[in-house]
Amino acid sequence: MDEIVEQGFDRLQTLISETKQNQDDAYRELCEQSASLLSRMIEAVAPIAGEIGSEFLLKAKQDTKGELYDQKYYDEKMIILGKTDSPMEYRPDDPKKKVTQQFCVLSEKGVLYELMFSNDGFVVDTFASPLTPEDALVFYGYDIMYMLYSAMRDYYLAEEEILASLDIALGYIQKKTQN
C-alpha cells in the first residue's frame, strides 16, 4: 500500500478515537453538572407553574360509586414532570398506606416533590415528599429535564439561544442513556 494512504488511514483512526473520547468527556461532564442544570431549569419554570400547573388532591373521601367528596387540595399548584411505573410499596409517613401512584412534581414555589397517592377504598389521600434535584434525576431520570424544557419552550419567553442549547444537550443525554 502507498505510504501516504497508510498515514491518512492512521490519522483518520486517530481522529475518530479522539472525537469519541471528546464526546465521552463532554457527556461525563454534562452528567456531573446535570443536577445543577436541573436546579437552574427549576428556577426558570417555577414562576409559571402557578399559571400552567394543576391543583392536586390532598385528601378526599370516596363513596360507593367511586365518586370523591369533601376534597381538600394542596395550597400551591404543581406540574407533573414524571411518573414511576413501580411506586414505593408503602408511604414513608404511614407504612400502613399502600402507594397506588407516584409522581415527580414541581410546585409553584420551586420545590420538587414526590407525590404519592394512596386509596384504602374510603379515603384517597397523598403525601408530598421533597426531592433534591440529584434524587429526582436518580429516581425519575432525564425525562423530568425534558418536561421542564418543554414548559420553557411552550409557556415561557426564554431566550432562544438557551432553549436551542438545552435542546441539543437533552438530545445528547437521551441518546447516550438509551445506548
Side-chain angles (χ1 to χ4, degrees):
M1 237 187 185
D2 193 4
E3 187 177 322
I4 193 108
V5 172
E6 286 184 35
Q7 288 175 350
F9 181 72
D10 289 343
R11 179 66 182 135
L12 183 60
Q13 284 184 312
T14 302
L15 281 174
I16 290 170
S17 177
E18 288 173 356
T19 301
K20 175 76 173 120
Q21 184 62 46
N22 289 341
Q23 285 178 335
D24 289 346
D25 292 346
Y27 175 69
R28 199 170 15 268
E29 177 69 21
L30 189 57
C31 287
E32 289 171 5
Q33 299 296 324
S34 54
S36 176
L37 175 59
L38 178 58
S39 295
R40 295 200 53 206
M41 292 174 78
I42 287 168
E43 289 174 17
V45 174
I48 60 169
E51 295 175 40
I52 65 173
S54 300
E55 291 181 331
F56 281 91
L57 184 69
L58 177 62
K59 189 173 191 173
K61 295 177 184 169
Q62 190 173 15
D63 65 19
T64 56
K65 296 179 184 176
E67 299 293 322
L68 300 178
Y69 64 97
D70 290 340
Q71 298 103 322
K72 294 178 186 164
Y73 295 91
Y74 284 94
D75 291 336
E76 52 188 316
K77 289 184 177 181
M78 302 176 203
I79 55 175
I80 295 176
L81 301 179
K83 179 183 179 190
T84 183
D85 292 333
S86 52
M88 296 175 77
E89 196 164 338
Y90 297 98
R91 289 189 358 200
D93 67 320
D94 187 348
K96 292 177 267 173
K97 293 186 178 183
K98 187 167 178 60
V99 177
T100 56
Q101 292 184 339
Q102 186 172 323
F103 300 90
C104 178
V105 297
L106 173 66
S107 76
E108 62 186 271
K109 292 181 182 171
V111 179
L112 284 176
Y113 291 103
E114 207 164 24
L115 193 60
M116 300 171 210
F117 284 80
S118 298
N119 182 349
D120 66 4
F122 179 66
V123 175
V124 177
D125 68 339
T126 61
F127 174 67
S129 178
L131 276 176
T132 64
E134 294 84 2
D135 285 344
L137 286 170
V138 169
F139 299 146
Y140 293 93
Y142 288 99
D143 289 345
I144 60 175
M145 291 178 85
Y146 184 77
M147 293 300 291
L148 287 168
Y149 162 75
S150 295
M152 290 172 70
R153 183 190 65 218
D154 294 345
Y155 300 101
Y156 203 58
L157 299 175
E159 295 180 34
E160 291 201 21
E161 293 169 0
I162 293 172
L163 289 176
S165 297
L166 283 171
D167 188 36
I168 291 168
L170 291 173
Y172 190 68
I173 287 172
Q174 293 289 22
K175 181 181 174 193
K176 281 288 191 173
T177 57
Q178 291 173 359
N179 291 337

